[in-house]
């Protein structure tokens, strides 16, 4: 019997969907609560689209939608109580907007939609309600597939917009699009309209990444080439993971002079590339690898761990008392650091005090890795890179951005990178890089063969790099470049990266290690016919297909 249905990430059970319990660890109740929270955002979006022209100040509801969608991303929040709270607040917010719309005499057919009218009489009936609005309540598999694709993209946009918002950068056009797209998933739109909306989601994905890039670089400077230590020091440390740069900014400031060092884990590695953070001498290095190895690496780290965004996995008893969540992340039984008050900072003092009593991290690796090849840095290296292209020392670029994950089949990416010809350069971003960033791939005339731009949101930087190369080489289209795309995906931020690449006109992307379970055969055909998307094969076959062996 099916208890739940979720197919939003790459590890969906049996390549179709998790039905008993999530491979990620989420159970049926949590899955239902997540679906219901997304449904609540759709109800709010109905009233926002109706009210927005009459009222300018709607930031509170826009923020609520963004933070709620972010909470439902894979491996972000495993705390049922946070979802019950958000659903309750959301229905209340929706009802206030409903009253306002009535007061203003606004009429709209969608006000009769269940998402706009259902009432939360009793929290005990939440699960019952959720069972009527889940993914499978859409019967047509193509419509369901496109709705899931759009919804996944919106969750990715929400993550990036949320980060930008923390740095006081926002873009109301994106918020308005999110409303429109959420509402569209409730309507009986023809497949052609949903396909158009999918591509439009990609356009706003680009806008969200541009917004975040602007927010990050204005606040913290442009990433620079940086050698990051992967060994350890002899002082106790705090390990910070996830994508939130505002959190690491405040943590570094609050730990300065306390005798506690700071280390990054997984997607926080690229924080080392920013001038604003490099200046701290107690910002020691990166500890460990991609998110899914945390159950081993958090044990040997010995000190407290702060999870600022996904990906969190179920903490083991041996270290659960050292784990803290903050922002959109949550886990039942794990301490949560409260949001900053207006104009204030988060208070990390409890974590710092705990760290002082812990042992220094146990060394698990040594040496350095290099990164910081975001667009501004690449621009400065452009003459060197172009010369290498013109002399034939560099013949190909391979974009291997995206996510990492647990599946054994992801060994493919290590092997693929390892077997690339010596005249190829890998452009990467996201936690996918941990599959090959410690291989000794060498350099070409001083240019490292793996150029890491940063986090998954910095995949945008790779497109700027491609455009730069296209212009410098006098080509008409980025598809004329000697560049291949072999993207690894896992969660919904990678979905928006993919849709953004499609919007920018990138063709012939390989997507793996498996295609999304939520894509119906017809939707796959649309992607194949229009964009040349394909799944991965063997390393040998794929290298051959790219003309790289
Ligand atoms: Fe399964 Fe992924 Fe959904 Fe978790 S997020 S329940 S692993 S499909
Ligand atoms: Fe990774 Fe979770 Fe996607 Fe930001 S940390 S890329 S999986």
């Amino acid at each position: 019997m099916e208890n739940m249905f979720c197919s939003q990430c790459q590890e969906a059970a049996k390549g179709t969907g998790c039905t008993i319990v999530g491979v990620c660890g989420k159970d049926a109740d949590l899955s239902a609560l997540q679906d219901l929270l997304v449904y609540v955002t759709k109800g709010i979006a109905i009233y926002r689209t109706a009210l927005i022209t009459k009222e300018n100040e709607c930031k509170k509801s826009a923020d609520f939608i963004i933070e709620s969608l972010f909470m439902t991303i894979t491996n972000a929040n495993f705390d049922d109580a946070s979802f019950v709270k958000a659903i309750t607040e959301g229905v209340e917010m929706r009802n206030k907007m409903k009253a306002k719309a009535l007061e203003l005499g606004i009429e709209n057919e969608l006000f009769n939609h269940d998402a706009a009218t259902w009432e939360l009489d009793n929290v005990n009936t939440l699960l019952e309600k959720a069972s009527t609005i889940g993914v499978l309540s859409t019967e047509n598999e193509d419509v369901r597939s496109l709705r899931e694709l759009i919804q996944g993209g919106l969750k990715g946009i929400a993550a990036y917009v949320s980060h930008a918002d923390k740095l006081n950068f926002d873009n109301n056009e994106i918020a308005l699009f999110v409303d429109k797209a959420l509402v569209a998933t409730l309507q009986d739109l023809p497949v052609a309209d949903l396909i158009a909306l999918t591509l439009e989601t990609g356009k706003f994905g680009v806008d969200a990444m541009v917004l975040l890039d602007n927010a990050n670089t204005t606040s913290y400077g442009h990433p620079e080439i940086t050698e990051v230590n992967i060994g350890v020091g002899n002082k106790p440390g705090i390990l910070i993971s996830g994508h939130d740069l505002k959190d690491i900014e405040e943590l570094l400031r609050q730990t300065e002079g306390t005798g506690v060092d700071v280390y990054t884990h997984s997607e926080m590695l690229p924080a080392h590339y920013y001038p604003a953070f490099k200046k701290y001498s107690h910002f020691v290095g990166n500890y460990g690898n991609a998110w899914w190895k945390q159950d081993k690496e958090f044990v040997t780290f010995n000190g407290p761990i702060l999870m600022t965004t996904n990906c969190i996995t179920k903490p083991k008893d041996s270290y659960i008392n050292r784990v803290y969540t903050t922002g959109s992340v949550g886990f039942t039984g794990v301490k949560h650091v409260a949001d900053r008050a207006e104009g204030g900072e988060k208070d990390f003092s409890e974590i710092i005090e705990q760290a002082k009593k812990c042992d220094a991290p146990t060394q698990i690796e040594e040496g350095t890795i290099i990164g910081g090849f975001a667009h501004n840095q690449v621009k400065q290296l452009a003459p060197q890179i172009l010369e290498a292209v013109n002399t034939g020392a560099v013949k190909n670029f391979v974009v291997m951005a995206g996510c990492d994950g647990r599946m054994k089949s992801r060994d493919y990416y290590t092997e693929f990178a390892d077997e690339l010809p010596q005249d190829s350069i890998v452009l990467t971003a996201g936690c996918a890089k941990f599959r090959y960033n410690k291989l000794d791939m060498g350099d070409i005339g001083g240019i490292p063969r793996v150029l890491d731009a940063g986090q998954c949101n910095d995949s945008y930087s790779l497109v700027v790099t491609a455009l730069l190369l296209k212009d410098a080489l006098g080509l008409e289209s980025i598809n004329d470049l000697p560049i291949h795309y072999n993207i690894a995906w896992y969660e919904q931020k990678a979905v928006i990266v993919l849709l953004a690449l499609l919007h920018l006109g990138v063709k012939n992307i390989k997507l793996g290690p498996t295609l999304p379970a939520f894509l119906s055969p017809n939707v796959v055909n649309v992607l194949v016919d229009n964009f040349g998307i394909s799944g991965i094969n063997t390393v040998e076959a794929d290298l051959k297909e790219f003309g790289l062996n």
Side-chain angles (χ1 to χ4, degrees), residues 73-75 160 241-243 265-268 290-292 309-312 401-405 410 429-432 434 454-457 488-494 497:
I73 277 191
T74 301
N75 290 345
Y160 298 150
S241 189
H243 307 66
H265 189 260
S266 190
E267 273 287 67
M268 198 55 90
W291 63 270
W292 59 276
T309 64
N310 61 335
C311 285
I312 185 171
C403 306
D404 197 10
R410 287 184 190 257
C431 59
F434 286 101
Q455 298 180 340
C456 45
N457 45 289
W489 83 287
Y490 171 62
E491 37 78 350
Q492 298 76 51
K493 284 184 264 183
V497 168

Side-chain angles (χ1 to χ4, degrees), residues 438-451:
K438 289 165 188 170
L439 297 177
D440 186 12
M441 288 178 57
D443 63 281
I444 302 178
I447 309 163
R449 288 193 52 231
V450 177
L451 300 182

Side-chain angles (χ1 to χ4, degrees), residues 150-166:
I150 293 164
Q151 201 165 288
L154 294 177
K155 290 184 181 191
I157 288 178
Y160 298 150
V161 167
S162 166
H163 290 309
D165 186 62
K166 304 267 165 39

